[in-house]
Amino acid sequence: MANPVLADRSTATPDKPGRRPRPGFGRRDHVVGWLLIAPALVYFVGFLLYPAIAALYYSFTDWNLRSSPSWVGLSNYTDLLFDDVKYPHFWKSVQVSLLYTVVAVPLTLVAALGQALLVNAIRRGSNFFRLLLFLPVVTAEAAVGAIWRWLYDPQYGLINVILGWFGVPPQNWLNNPDLVIPALAFISAWQCGISMIIYLAGLKGIPVSLREAAIIDGAGPVQRFRRVVMPMLRPTTFYLLVTGVIAALQVFGLVYVIFSAANKSVTGGPEQAGLTYVLHLYLFAFRYDAMGAACAMSFILLVFIMIITALQFKFVKQEAA
Amino acid sequence: MSRRVAGAAAAIALIAGLTACGGGSDAGDTPTLTFWMYQPRTPQAGQIYEDLRKGFEKANNVKVKYVQIAKDDYNTKLSSAIASGTAPDAGVLDQPLVSRFALDKTIVAVPDGTIEESAYYKGALDTNLSEGKLFGLPLDQTTVGLFYNKKLVPTPPKTWDELKATVNQIHQADSKIAGIVVPKGDGYGAWMWPGFVAGAGGALTDDANKKVLFDQQPAVDTLQMWVDLLPSSPRQITDSDNAFANGLAAMMISGPWDVSTIKDQFPDLDFNVAPLPYKTEPAGNIGGENGVVFSTSKNAALAWKFLQYITSDANNAKFADAFGGYPTNVKAAEQTAATIEPQQAAFLEQLKVAHARPAVPQWIQVNDEIIAPALEKALSGKATAQQALTEAADKTRSLLGWNS
């Protein structure tokens, strides 16, 4: 009982041997139990656990999917990190994904909170608006890609028209290397429906008494938002931040759809400005015949995500105050 | 009791579910040939494949089993099948994959005496080469040509000088219209570029002597020519959706797939297609699919016979058309030429002078990761054509381990 947490728990519910029947495989209800969870278990082992372990193994091999993999030790990892002849765009893809994460995640959180506040404030028809705001999430990615290509069109695009009202000259959003990531991040913010729903739930969970007390104390709407709503939403924000960062670091589908449809080319947009980490990984796995290196990339990403997530748990406030 | 029944039922359901995944076998006395291909693009194309299959079965008293897979998933599924030892006898393979599959001995070389090489277009046949030997038969082929808006370009430019002059003239006459959609420095643009390089008498590589050539004058001139087109063909205009079809760009470089798309969606556009403008000699790039026989096949002789059958004088025109490309068989192409729409004729003409991609297993990666960024670097003005290509050629030499 070295672990204090376990020790606490064992004093709360004593688990002495002999008190209750010990689990065993011979009993019939266990057979039925195993059978009932068998489909989920088969799925977990066959489609999640086994591929993950296999991928770890392949990451130490040179493998083109067809012939048998040959063991190369750590060289996939060291080549990815240090050999810019073999992997000229590896670090570029890291940079692209990081930039995307830094722009897209805050933008998405702000958009989601804004929408949640609006929907929460509406007395009638909030279901309708909630549905409207949620639609971008359930729209097929290919359709999203097509629609946004039109919206970003340098000649006829609605975005340029709207910016034109404010005197901004027309931009070539998806073909100017500096604008690609902001343009993609904006699409992800538009698709913030799930975060919006979670924020909405968070807002509903703030006790009305707090708001009333704040009003009695003379707090205006801005103060109430800053001193009551935001602190009370902290666990929600933390959850959305952590999951949002993980999802943003893995962004793939949208970039793939946007660039392959626009240019018949999946190489990541102008000057590799849209070559996200997972798109780069995908190209090596399925286009350049290097599944071993692609597996190594996925484990580098896994370690990176774990570090980033641990840092967030350490440094970001997560308790409601 | 009821528990026991429930348990048994669950077990049966589980076993039934698992066995349902295994396929039944339909082995009979007649040999069966398994052929993997893409899903038919249209019901009519599917019917053509069926008719060809029946014709072959009847003439040879065998069975042919098609396995048709969505094009996007094809390569992955094929690789998994090969890895798990369930590769088909024969199948379709994208041109640049042939040298890769040959390298790891997944496919076998064409047996001597199987074909008469002169029966095929040279460019298409060359896409089957690996270290000087043929590893497949060309099934269909395609290329890109110069699409031109007849209202803006009455006679299409034949040479680079004419092209530049036409492009400048159009943009000067109306600054809202771009002369031509200049290809991009991406994987697709890098695929088209060698066609222009060959038009200046150059090549990207010398495979036999392991030499990288695209830092030499013909390639540099070609890239410079693309750069020179840009001032009269602003990206702000040409990056608009369907810029050519909407009349915003007077010309574009594209393939036969756009002919039908434009005719369907922009019936008012009066356009035609000409061969690519050249500097010293007419030339073009090439794409398409080959037919290969897998090394695990027990019916290799029959498989080659089937590939000969679909690339024969009599059948290749139908097969290639169903596939969405042009025949690779010279005689079959003559039939196609007689019935073709005017906008398609230039492609077929140009395929006679089309050049295969370098037969280098890593070529797709060189194309995407080295050449494409170099083209973009020059096109965006961040380097001169010579600087960009010298750097790219050096990177390619390092990657391939070639000395010159």
Side-chain angles (χ1 to χ4, degrees):
Chain A
M1 291 298 164
N3 188 323
V5 178
L6 282 181
D8 279 358
R9 205 167 281 162
S10 70
T11 46
T13 50
D15 187 17
K16 286 177 192 147
R19 270 278 175 90
R20 36 187 187 116
R22 289 182 61 81
F25 283 88
R27 295 175 55 92
R28 191 177 301 130
D29 28 341
H30 284 291
V31 176
V32 174
W34 279 106
L35 276 171
L36 287 176
I37 61 162
L41 207 61
V42 166
Y43 171 78
F44 173 74
V45 173
F47 294 100
L48 296 172
L49 190 64
Y50 169 72
I53 293 170
L56 183 62
Y57 164 70
Y58 289 131
S59 76
F60 297 108
T61 67
D62 186 8
W63 187 41
N64 63 12
L65 277 175
R66 297 184 298 276
S67 34
S68 50
S70 59
W71 185 265
V72 293
L74 280 172
S75 75
N76 280 332
Y77 290 91
T78 50
D79 287 356
L80 279 167
L81 299 175
F82 306 114
D83 187 344
D84 65 351
V85 170
K86 258 176 132 171
Y87 305 105
H89 304 302
F90 176 78
W91 286 106
K92 173 75 187 178
S93 76
V94 171
Q95 198 192 327
V96 168
S97 273
L98 282 178
L99 180 64
Y100 175 81
T101 305
V102 169
V103 181
V105 173
L107 209 59
T108 308
L109 289 187
V110 170
L113 180 58
Q115 290 181 1
L117 287 168
L118 286 175
V119 172
N120 198 36
I122 297 174
R123 297 267 154 108
R124 294 174 63 190
S126 75
N127 279 349
F128 175 71
F129 286 101
R130 208 165 55 196
L131 176 74
L132 276 191
L133 293 171
F134 200 73
L135 266 183
V137 179
V138 291
T139 310
E141 205 133 50
V144 170
I147 288 169
W148 279 92
R149 271 183 48 227
W150 285 330
L151 290 172
Y152 281 137
D153 192 287
Q155 289 288 312
Y156 307 117
L158 193 61
I159 306 275
N160 276 346
V161 172
I162 293 170
L163 288 176
W165 296 338
F166 302 98
V168 180
Q171 301 295 319
N172 196 351
W173 293 98
L174 296 174
N175 293 285
N176 176 343
D178 298 332
L179 295 177
V180 165
I181 290 299
L184 291 173
F186 195 71
I187 302 178
S188 98
W190 172 75
Q191 285 185 305
C192 68
I194 290 178
S195 308
M196 181 267 289
I197 296 287
I198 294 173
Y199 260 134
L200 198 56
L203 286 173
K204 302 270 188 217
I206 299 174
V208 184
S209 54
L210 280 181
R211 181 170 171 262
E212 286 165 351
I215 292 174
I216 290 167
D217 288 347
V222 175
Q223 263 194 318
R224 287 207 300 274
F225 177 73
R226 281 192 51 218
R227 311 260 176 210
V228 179
V229 176
M230 281 307 286
M232 289 303 288
L233 283 179
R234 213 172 268 155
T236 315
T237 307
F238 181 74
Y239 168 79
L240 291 175
L241 177 72
V242 170
T243 54
V245 166
I246 293 174
L249 288 170
Q250 297 180 338
V251 66
F252 167 68
L254 185 67
V255 209
Y256 184 86
V257 166
I258 290 253
F259 291 114
S260 64
N263 307 327
K264 299 183 182 69
S265 192
V266 292
T267 45
E271 296 176 33
Q272 278 69 39
L275 184 67
T276 64
Y277 190 91
V278 179
L279 178 59
H280 185 252
L281 186 163
Y282 167 88
L283 291 173
F284 272 88
F286 298 111
R287 202 167 144 86
Y288 310 148
D289 249 9
M291 190 48 110
C295 289
M297 285 182 213
S298 73
F299 279 92
I300 293 175
L301 180 63
L302 174 73
V303 170
F304 185 73
I305 286 179
M306 281 164 67
I307 293 171
I308 291 274
T309 307
L311 288 176
Q312 291 179 87
F313 268 92
K314 195 160 166 55
F315 292 110
V316 181
K317 274 191 205 164
Q318 34 192 305
E319 306 294 329
Chain B
M1 184 64 195
S2 67
R3 258 190 199 168
R4 190 181 290 174
V5 172
I12 289 168
L14 187 66
I15 290 162
L18 290 176
T19 49
C21 303
S25 76
D26 51 348
D29 308 341
T30 46
T32 301
L33 185 77
T34 316
F35 183 73
W36 276 32
M37 63 193 304
Y38 304 151
Q39 266 171 6
R41 298 176 309 127
T42 59
Q44 292 84 341
Q47 192 54 48
I48 290 172
Y49 301 144
E50 278 307 297
D51 293 345
L52 286 170
R53 180 177 67 83
K54 282 179 194 147
F56 185 77
E57 287 179 341
K58 214 169 178 185
N60 297 282
N61 196 26
V62 292
K63 282 217 158 305
V64 176
K65 190 180 159 204
Y66 286 149
V67 177
Q68 296 173 327
I69 297 166
K71 196 174 176 180
D72 285 349
D73 298 332
Y74 185 84
N75 294 334
T76 315
K77 292 220 163 122
L78 184 59
S79 292
S80 329
I82 293 165
S84 62
T86 54
D89 291 305
V92 165
L93 204 58
D94 192 18
Q95 286 169 356
L97 300 182
V98 171
S99 57
R100 281 192 198 172
F101 280 50
L103 184 77
D104 51 44
K105 301 193 171 57
T106 308
I107 55 176
V108 294
V110 181
D112 291 337
T114 306
I115 54 158
E116 193 70 57
E117 292 195 9
S118 60
Y120 296 93
Y121 278 73
K122 186 176 183 310
L125 200 61
D126 283 353
T127 64
N128 292 284
L129 285 175
S130 171
E131 312 210 316
K133 276 175 93 175
L134 291 176
F135 278 81
L137 300 188
L139 301 180
D140 78 315
Q141 56 177 342
T142 191
T143 187
V144 293
L146 180 75
F147 283 60
Y148 61 99
N149 185 326
K150 281 160 99 174
K151 276 198 191 117
L152 298 164
V153 185
T155 36
K158 278 206 178 67
T159 63
W160 288 3
D161 289 338
E162 287 173 28
L163 176 66
K164 281 189 222 170
T166 314
V167 163
N168 290 339
Q169 194 192 330
I170 286 165
H171 191 62
Q172 268 163 23
D174 185 346
S175 64
K176 285 191 180 124
I177 293 181
I180 185 170
V181 182
V182 180
K184 294 230 153 112
D186 57 16
Y188 183 56
W191 170 66
M192 301 198 271
W193 187 61
F196 286 89
V197 176
L204 297 205
T205 58
D206 174 355
D207 298 346
N209 298 306
K210 305 204 168 200
K211 281 193 165 124
V212 174
L213 304 177
F214 58 79
D215 50 356
Q216 297 185 1
Q217 208 56 47
V220 175
D221 288 348
T222 305
L223 182 50
Q224 187 58 47
M225 189 268 291
W226 281 16
V227 173
D228 292 344
L229 293 173
L230 272 177
S232 295
S233 311
R235 294 275 193 227
Q236 187 74 26
I237 299 176
T238 59
D239 282 335
S240 178
D241 198 39
N242 285 318
F244 173 76
N246 281 319
L248 289 177
M251 292 176 276
M252 73 166 176
I253 314 293
S254 191
W257 51 87
D258 266 334
V259 171
S260 46
T261 320
I262 294 175
K263 282 187 157 180
D264 282 353
Q265 295 172 15
F266 301 88
D268 298 335
L269 186 79
D270 189 11
F271 76 102
N272 205 345
V273 182
L276 289 185
Y278 55 86
K279 189 178 183 199
T280 55
E281 59 195 84
N285 71 339
I286 188 167
E289 280 81 18
N290 296 329
V292 295
V293 176
F294 293 92
S295 45
T296 46
S297 170
K298 294 193 177 74
N299 300 313
L302 187 64
W304 287 116
K305 206 169 179 183
F306 180 70
L307 294 179
Q308 277 176 277
Y309 170 81
I310 53 177
T311 58
S312 65
D313 300 357
N315 296 327
N316 188 230
K318 279 179 271 181
F319 185 86
D321 186 48
F323 232 76
Y326 298 98
T328 54
N329 177 305
V330 178
K331 288 223 173 78
E334 283 167 12
Q335 297 168 33
T336 304
T339 55
I340 210 166
E341 301 166 290
Q343 287 97 337
Q344 304 268 4
F347 297 115
L348 196 54
E349 192 58 31
Q350 184 170 289
L351 281 167
K352 290 179 186 160
V353 292
H355 295 255
R357 263 171 278 213
V360 175
Q362 304 94 321
W363 191 254
I364 300 181
Q365 193 183 345
V366 174
N367 182 81
D368 288 6
E369 292 227 300
I370 300 179
I371 296 182
L375 301 183
E376 191 60 30
K377 228 176 185 175
L379 288 168
S380 62
K382 298 203 166 115
T384 67
Q386 181 72 64
Q387 285 165 349
L389 290 173
T390 302
E391 191 194 349
D394 287 342
K395 282 184 187 166
T396 306
R397 288 182 190 108
S398 309
L399 182 73
L400 300 180
W402 290 4
N403 295 322
S404 50

